[in-house]
Amino acid sequence: MSKKIVVYNNVERFFHYHLVHLVAFLTISGLPVLSHTFDFIAYGLGIPVAALTNSQNILSAGMSALRFIHYSSAFLLTLLSVPFVFMIVRKIAHLSMWPDRWGVQATIDGFKEMWKFYIKQEHVRFGKMNAGQKLFAQIVVITMIVLAISGYMLIFRESISSDLATYARAAHAISFIIFGMMLIIHLYLAVHPTNKNSYDAMFHTGTMDEDFIKEHHGIYYDKLKKENKI
Amino acid sequence: MSVNMKCYDTTPCIRCFACMVGCSVENRLRLQRESHIGIEKSVQNRLTYLSHLSPQRREFGSFPNARQVTAFHHCNHCEDAPCLEICPVDAIIRRDGKEVVVVQETCIGCSSCLDACPFDVPVIKDGKSYKCHGCYDRVENGLKQSCVSACPSSAMFSGTKEEVLKEAYKRAKLYTEKTGKEHVVYGADEVNSTVGELRWVTIVPKEDLEAYKLDTNPKKLVMSAREAVKVVGSVGSVAIVAGSIGHLIYWLGKRKEKISKGEVEEK
Ligand code: SF4
Ligand code: SF4
């Protein structure tokens, strides 16, 4: 039987696992502020909240409850991020989200490889992440940083100028929209049959078979070999 | 009900600010009338958030032509009020006379209206938004707005849109003829696509529009960008979902084909 290789450590898995809940809470509680299309969420929550608090206005009651959820989730996510950020910073130069090769041609090649894998279903040699996953990770990190900074600016808007708060509101919405679109792609690929091994590694085992890594993540396999981790 | 409109005419204004005092008094009286506050407290405390009409005194021009101008800062009751559109709890409503009014009982104090208003009008105080309500209750009961009632020189006048614009254009024409300076009725026509027409118009020499802070293109670029990205985001999200479904169907078909050809093993 092939050896099991740890691809996601416990801190990464713990962070990702809870990130899922918190991002879901943040998204659901933030959408009705972004657009009236999602008013149904506030109404849905508003009905019991208004009944419990004797409030006259269902939408306001729902929105106030959602704001409480949004703020608490943001606070919990901040707390949760502390150990993760420390871990990331320590190995910042070796993160899988950085390209194995830099430059325009390398990027084009990376996307060609993805085309071969996802469209032609041919065998390719990826690193731990493919070009799309790397790009996704970079965009998500940037948008999450913008979301966090602008979100805290809005919470403490009394301490900043009104103009700055307006910029923060726009930045919060714009970065969320970009983040949201990335998230849909991420969710699709996460549950896609071809990525079952990664899904299991992230949510259940933390490991992948050595043979699987060798076959599907050739560049990553070579790197692990070079570092004497296999 | 027809559209109610107010007009401020900069020419006969004697800068007595009775309109502003009237506004502040009216809003304190409201609190007393609705038993939100005792009379002593409402007089002792400054409650600046209840002054919906405030002076913005500024130096304009440079020596030797510098002069002081007092711009009036107030809600314009925009035709396409961005504050009303953004409010997530529909706490901002439009009365029959088209006054744009915040319902404080509904407001949750999220400040979205403040960020959306290109004239920086709403004031957030103790978790509620405040701004001019056009004295809609007075108007609906046959009275004039408090500021209009207080004005001793007819520099403030109000009525239906037709009445006000007729008088405003008449005055603007007269001033233009008498002074040789073109006078305009700011807000009578669509100002821009963000706010539309205004229901608080101002008669002013055209060359003084800037001095009186009457923005000919009121918009907050970042908030416009936010709206544009929202449209791109909704179209993009639908496209991504459709693309994902399409890819899955394609991928499964292709895989089946590969399995039948024996190129890959079925797992
Ligand atoms: S001036 Fe500002 S507060 Fe008044 S209606 Fe227009 S957007 Fe709303
Ligand atoms: S502060 Fe109040 S009125 Fe303004 S957008 Fe928020 S809920 Fe609406």
Side-chain angles (χ1 to χ4, degrees):
Chain A
M1 212 173 103
S2 138
K3 219 164 85 188
K4 299 278 182 200
I5 310 291
V6 176
V7 287
Y8 299 119
N9 67 32
N10 286 342
V11 180
E12 286 169 323
R13 288 178 52 227
F14 179 84
F15 179 74
H16 186 269
Y17 190 70
H18 292 292
L19 186 66
V20 173
H21 315 147
L22 293 172
V23 166
F25 283 140
L26 283 163
T27 304
I28 292 166
S29 57
L31 280 173
V33 177
L34 185 68
S35 164
H36 284 292
T37 315
F38 301 99
D39 275 359
F40 67 91
I41 300 173
Y43 277 115
L45 186 66
I47 293 168
V49 173
L52 284 171
T53 56
N54 246 338
S55 168
Q56 297 296 312
N57 191 301
I58 292 174
L59 189 56
S60 295
M63 205 66 84
S64 298
L66 286 173
R67 188 161 54 169
F68 176 75
I69 295 171
H70 203 76
Y71 285 7
S72 340
S73 307
F75 180 65
L76 283 177
L77 184 54
T78 311
L79 280 185
L80 190 68
S81 303
V82 175
F84 184 72
V85 169
F86 266 110
M87 190 192 80
I88 290 293
V89 168
R90 274 180 46 213
K91 52 176 189 179
I92 189 92
H94 309 285
L95 295 178
S96 332
M97 71 176 194
W98 304 130
D100 299 308
R101 286 189 297 129
W102 292 87
V104 179
Q105 193 52 49
T107 313
I108 296 171
D109 291 348
F111 283 100
K112 275 187 185 161
E113 294 286 278
M114 282 180 65
W115 179 265
K116 279 193 209 157
F117 183 69
Y118 285 112
I119 304 294
K120 294 185 168 176
Q121 295 186 18
E122 288 173 6
H123 181 259
V124 283
R125 277 169 56 83
F126 285 139
K128 186 174 178 181
M129 286 181 177
N130 61 43
Q133 286 166 327
K134 286 175 198 275
L135 187 67
F136 164 82
Q138 290 160 16
I139 296 175
V140 162
V141 169
I142 294 168
T143 51
M144 280 184 84
I145 292 171
V146 177
L147 278 165
I149 295 172
S150 54
Y152 277 105
M153 281 166 75
L154 288 172
I155 293 178
F156 298 107
R157 63 177 296 149
E158 307 286 312
S159 329
I160 58 173
S161 74
S162 170
D163 277 353
L164 210 53
T166 305
Y167 277 103
R169 180 175 301 279
H172 203 66
I174 294 171
S175 48
F176 169 73
I177 291 165
I178 300 169
F179 175 80
M181 290 197 286
M182 292 288 120
L183 199 63
I184 303 174
I185 302 174
H186 182 61
L187 287 176
Y188 168 61
L189 291 178
V191 296
H192 194 279
T194 194
N195 292 326
K196 191 178 178 308
N197 282 283
S198 302
Y199 180 91
D200 286 342
M202 181 54 88
F203 285 101
H204 304 298
T205 58
T207 60
M208 275 185 195
D209 286 343
E210 184 179 340
D211 290 349
F212 180 83
I213 296 177
K214 195 172 175 181
E215 195 187 335
H216 294 275
H217 298 273
I219 299 174
Y220 180 46
Y221 182 81
D222 292 347
K223 203 169 140 194
L224 290 175
K225 265 233 128 69
K226 219 166 109 192
E227 290 167 5
N228 285 328
K229 289 186 179 159
I230 294 185
Chain B
M1 198 172 167
S2 49
V3 175
N4 291 323
M5 201 175 242
K6 278 195 278 188
C7 179
Y8 168 56
D9 183 350
T10 54
T11 302
C13 175
I14 55 169
R15 310 291 190 268
C16 67
F17 305 122
C19 51
M20 303 191 185
V21 175
C23 175
S24 175
V25 170
E26 171 70 19
N27 287 305
R28 281 156 209 268
L29 288 174
R30 269 164 203 277
L31 291 183
Q32 294 164 19
R33 188 183 64 208
E34 289 160 17
S35 310
H36 288 312
I37 192 166
I39 191 156
E40 294 85 355
K41 242 187 178 175
S42 78
V43 180
Q44 277 164 4
N45 297 350
R46 293 184 66 189
L47 308 179
T48 46
Y49 61 99
L50 295 181
S51 301
H52 301 323
L53 175 57
S54 54
Q56 287 186 342
R57 201 164 177 80
R58 57 198 297 243
E59 290 275 336
F60 192 72
S62 50
F63 182 82
N65 299 316
R67 63 200 164 106
Q68 284 191 329
V69 171
T70 307
F72 279 26
H73 187 238
H74 52 77
C75 171
N76 288 303
H77 298 278
C78 313
E79 181 186 19
D80 305 321
C83 61
L84 183 147
E85 274 153 34
I86 203 172
C87 177
V89 294
D90 300 334
I92 302 184
I93 57 163
R94 215 186 286 278
R95 302 290 303 185
D96 290 346
K98 307 295 179 226
E99 296 91 352
V100 178
V101 175
V102 179
V103 181
Q104 270 85 28
E105 288 72 21
T106 310
C107 171
I108 56 166
C110 67
S111 305
S112 301
C113 50
L114 169 60
D115 289 334
C117 173
F119 301 103
D120 289 327
V121 169
V123 173
I124 308 293
K125 175 76 181 155
D126 299 334
K128 302 284 174 194
S129 173
Y130 293 87
K131 66 168 206 71
C132 169
H133 36 70
C135 288
Y136 68 88
D137 45 356
R138 290 174 61 104
V139 177
E140 286 169 12
N141 287 287
L143 295 171
K144 288 286 179 194
Q145 296 85 346
S146 172
C147 51
V148 174
S149 302
C151 179
S153 62
S154 291
M156 284 272 201
F157 60 97
S158 65
T160 63
K161 180 179 168 184
E162 294 72 27
E163 289 166 352
V164 168
L165 289 185
K166 193 171 160 210
E167 174 67 15
Y169 281 128
K170 197 172 103 192
R171 290 190 188 193
K173 188 165 171 259
L174 179 73
Y175 302 150
T176 306
E177 284 167 7
K178 295 278 177 202
T179 63
K181 281 186 193 170
E182 187 189 352
H183 280 63
V184 291
V185 184
Y186 171 78
D189 300 316
E190 180 178 301
V191 180
N192 69 359
S193 58
T194 307
V195 295
E197 289 171 10
L198 307 181
R199 271 70 194 253
W200 183 317
V201 295
T202 306
I203 308 171
V204 65
K206 195 172 181 188
E207 62 182 33
D208 281 351
L209 279 168
E210 200 194 329
Y212 279 92
K213 289 189 156 188
L214 298 169
D215 194 345
T216 47
N217 188 18
K219 68 156 71 146
K220 285 186 172 165
L221 269 179
V222 277
M223 293 307 277
S224 309
R226 178 184 186 266
E227 292 311 303
V229 174
K230 263 167 73 175
V231 176
V232 175
S234 3
V235 176
S237 301
V238 171
I240 290 170
V241 170
S244 302
I245 296 171
H247 178 258
L248 185 64
I249 295 169
Y250 164 82
W251 190 90
L252 290 172
K254 178 105 182 162
R255 186 169 168 80
K256 218 166 155 190
E257 190 188 308
K258 289 214 166 205
I259 291 169
S260 65
K261 283 186 190 160
E263 289 175 21
V264 289
E265 275 175 46
E266 193 168 10
K267 280 190 202 143

